[in-house]
Each structure stands twice: as structure tokens, then as C-alpha cells.
Amino acid sequence: MEILPRKYMILLEVASGDYHTLDQIAEKIGITKQGVYEYMKKMRGDGLVETVRGKYRATVKGVETLFSYLENLEKYLEEKKRKLNMMEYSVA
């Protein structure tokens, strides 16, 4: 089950992990190395990731983007959980 869109899965891994190769990221996420390469290429162009001393790192902008996405996701999920709770009580 994919929890987050791939872009954010990769960004989260890069921000919180210690990766030297695209293969390591691809294996962790469960997509191809080529897939990771394409996402990383775009994210590098957007200033979200960089390579520092041979390791992939999220930039400040990348971490801020990730936090913003996760906060919005959390708000969305909370709203849906409230609606589900209302449905549960009205059905019971």
C-alpha cells in the first residue's frame, strides 16, 4: 500500500535517511532506480534535494515542502475521521 505520493515518499526518505545511491532509495520505496532518478532529477531542479559529500540530502526548501504537505495531509485526514465518527454515531 502506498501511503504517500512517490515524490513525497522519496523526499521523506532523503530527509530522514542516509542514502548514497538511488538503488538504496528505490529498494526502500519499492520502485525502480530509473523511477527514483526521474523524481530526483525534477526535485533537484526544484531545489528540494541535493548531494552533499556523496549523500542525498533534502534542502531547507525540501524539508519545508515536506512539512507543508504532511500538515495539509494531517488536516485532511482529521476532517475525514471526524466525518466518519459522525457517520458511526448516526448509524448506531
Side-chain angles (χ1 to χ4, degrees):
M1 178 175 102
E2 193 170 303
I3 298 170
L4 298 172
R6 288 184 178 156
K7 171 184 175 179
Y8 294 104
M9 288 177 70
I10 293 168
L11 191 52
L12 183 58
E13 285 302 320
V14 170
S16 63
D18 191 33
Y19 296 101
H20 297 280
T21 69
L22 296 178
D23 286 322
Q24 292 171 314
I25 300 168
E27 184 177 323
K28 181 73 175 184
I29 294 173
I31 65 173
T32 66
K33 177 182 173 179
Q34 182 64 32
V36 173
Y37 171 79
E38 294 298 329
Y39 281 101
M40 292 289 279
K41 180 179 169 184
K42 173 82 169 98
M43 287 190 289
R44 187 175 287 125
D46 292 342
L48 303 178
V49 296
E50 61 188 354
T51 306
V52 177
R53 291 186 286 281
K55 294 181 183 178
Y56 295 103
R57 297 279 187 237
T59 63
V60 171
K61 181 180 177 182
V63 172
E64 289 171 348
T65 299
L66 188 57
F67 267 103
S68 176
Y69 177 80
L70 293 174
E71 285 174 1
N72 288 333
L73 178 61
E74 187 174 38
K75 288 175 189 174
Y76 172 80
L77 293 174
E78 284 301 317
E79 176 187 327
K80 295 303 177 187
K81 286 190 326 191
R82 278 193 304 276
K83 287 183 180 183
L84 286 173
N85 280 334
M86 285 190 286
M87 288 175 56
E88 181 179 52
Y89 291 123
S90 63
V91 170

